[in-house]
Amino acid sequence: MTPLLDIEHLGFSYAPEAPPLFEDLSLSVSRGDFILVRGASGCGKSTLLRLICRLVPRRSGRILFKGIAVENIPPAELRRTVIYVAQVPVMSAGSVKHNLLFPFSFAVNKGKEAPSDEQLSSMLERFYLQDIDLLREAGTLSVGQQQRLALMRAILLEPEILLLDEPTSSLDSESAAMVFRIVERLNSEQDRTIVTVTHSDYVPSGRVKPRSFRLENAQLRPA
Amino acid sequence: MTPQVIEISFWQLLLALAFILGAQAVSFVYHLGLNRDISIGTLRTFLQLFLMGYALTFIFRVENLWLTLGIFAVMAISASFIVRGRVREREVTYMLPTFLTMFVTYLATAVFASGVIVGVSPWWEPRYFLPLGGMVIGNSMSAVAISLERLFGELRQQRGLLETRLCLGANYREASAEIFKNAVTAGMIPSINAMMGVGLVFIPGMMAGQVLAGADPLQAIRYQIVIMLMLVGSTTMTSILTVLIVRKRCFGSGEEPRLMQ
């Protein structure tokens, strides 16, 4: 069976004279997988995710999504289904509701029905944001709340793969625990495919079975 | 009554340097550090305008289409270099599209203004075509520079938001729609503002020149109206076309932003 995501012999460095971030790196991700990649700061964890969704152009090797090279998929189409959530959440000026719904105005998401206020409110609860009014200015939320909102915004588009870039790096321990609880639930209850990179000491709970890797010396090794 | 034009002699021209002496004195006393720039600027004003005067005298006498268009092309190329010097962006190449957009837009505007509106025959009659073209180029050049500066600046500043939109399925046009609008608007606003103040706050250069040269003010304002409207049209066209083309170059083949924050 074709893997959902296949990285084959990936090589990459930011400049020809710079030491390579990846050399002959391969990874196969199946539907419903929970991939956990750890590694020291600056080892290329974020770059790996950004290469998958084409925020960084690939140099050598191949990245296939459902058997198709990502370069052969229109960028907007790829990023609608393989959603990258950045380390630092970015909110657009406007309300919480605006921030959750603006992606539905993009041409590639036009076929999707935007959720109602009731649906949004019930989802806010599941993301531990039940006290947040939909009309509140999103920029006034704490970083932890914005991170959960960014996750919720991505989930509303029903992605096939969620790429999470250090989702708890700027959060206190309580907020970090909330984010990982949400991520685990997305994987265990909704069968969402998750690829997350972190250098935190996150210990998965018993309800998920992550495939853990360590990124060091330009290689991805099972941890 | 036939209006008399008072000619400015060489000595009277030198007398005008009194203004520059005043500026030099202020710069010196208050340590503004502008003495060198004022000197070079004064020298270039004399040199460039005298050269232009002789060149125009020659071109008006020869009346050759290709020579006229050649001068026009030189003006557009110079404008592109001035834009490049002002914008100073190194990560994205924009010189060629900027020049082509400017040249085509300026040509279309100047041809329409001289050949259709003013009704000059032939349309390239240098006495009309070059001054009209020069005004279009001068004003639109500033508009293009302002638009590009704004475009590059906002693409860098708002990189985080740009990536967020791209990662949620936006194409590069949707992700940068607000930035595009801001860049084009910034380029257009000066010429729109000029329409608001003209005749109330200031007498524009062309009209002032015509009136000083003895033209009927009522005839001079007609020319000025044509110029003002022409400038709004040309700044709009050049700003939009340049920003449209250059914005595309600010994204890679995967529609990833190329300008770093």
Side-chain angles (χ1 to χ4, degrees), chain B residues 197-209:
Chain B
V198 69
L200 282 177
V201 185
F202 66 99
I203 298 177
M206 182 195 187
M207 190 177 154

Side-chain angles (χ1 to χ4, degrees), chain A residues 50 54-55 57 75-76 79 83-84 90 92 102-103 106-109 153 157, chain B residues 159-161 163-171 174-175 253-257:
Chain A
R50 294 167 71 82
R54 299 188 69 194
L55 279 179
R79 294 187 191 120
I83 295 188
Y84 169 83
V90 180
S92 178
F102 77 74
F106 301 146
V108 79
N109 297 324
R153 180 168 62 190
L157 296 174
Chain B
R159 177 160 176 144
L161 186 55
E163 277 195 1
T164 300
R165 289 182 181 141
L166 289 167
C167 289
L168 293 164
N171 58 40
E174 290 167 325
S253 59
E255 299 196 3
E256 76 282 6

Side-chain angles (χ1 to χ4, degrees), chain A residues 96-144:
Chain A
V96 167
K97 183 178 170 181
H98 164 74
N99 268 278
L100 291 171
L101 297 187
F102 77 74
F104 289 89
S105 66
F106 301 146
V108 79
N109 297 324
K110 278 278 157 65
K112 290 182 184 291
E113 198 182 335
S116 65
D117 284 5
E118 289 72 33
Q119 288 169 315
L120 288 179
S121 297
S122 103
M123 245 185 124
L124 281 171
E125 259 177 58
R126 277 181 278 149
F127 281 76
Y128 306 107
L129 293 166
Q130 59 276 13
D131 300 331
I132 307 299
D133 192 286
L134 280 173
L135 297 179
R136 182 169 160 185
E137 191 68 29
T140 63
L141 301 178
S142 71
V143 182

Side-chain angles (χ1 to χ4, degrees), chain A residues 142-145 148 167-179:
Chain A
S142 71
V143 182
Q145 289 171 323
R148 278 173 272 150
T168 60
S169 68
S170 48
L171 307 185
D172 57 54
S173 55
E174 195 186 340
S175 294
M178 277 184 195
V179 166

Side-chain angles (χ1 to χ4, degrees), chain B residues 54-140:
Chain B
Y54 285 116
L56 287 179
T57 309
F58 174 73
I59 294 159
F60 291 173
R61 196 180 307 138
V62 173
E63 288 210 352
N64 178 290
L65 167 67
W66 298 111
L67 183 63
T68 308
L69 286 181
I71 296 287
F72 188 77
V74 169
M75 287 157 78
I77 290 170
S78 308
S80 311
F81 275 100
I82 291 170
V83 168
R84 190 178 72 162
R86 181 163 156 191
V87 176
R88 294 175 189 278
E89 176 58 54
R90 295 288 171 264
E91 282 185 57
V92 175
T93 52
Y94 59 93
M95 186 70 177
L96 188 64
T98 303
F99 165 70
L100 289 176
T101 312
M102 288 166 92
F103 185 74
V104 170
T105 312
Y106 297 165
L107 193 63
T109 313
V111 168
F112 183 69
S114 72
V116 179
I117 299 176
V118 181
V120 181
S121 181
W123 58 265
W124 51 268
E125 164 73 55
R127 185 174 292 277
Y128 290 87
F129 184 74
L130 287 179
L132 288 171
M135 268 183 283
V136 175
I137 290 176
N139 281 273
S140 307

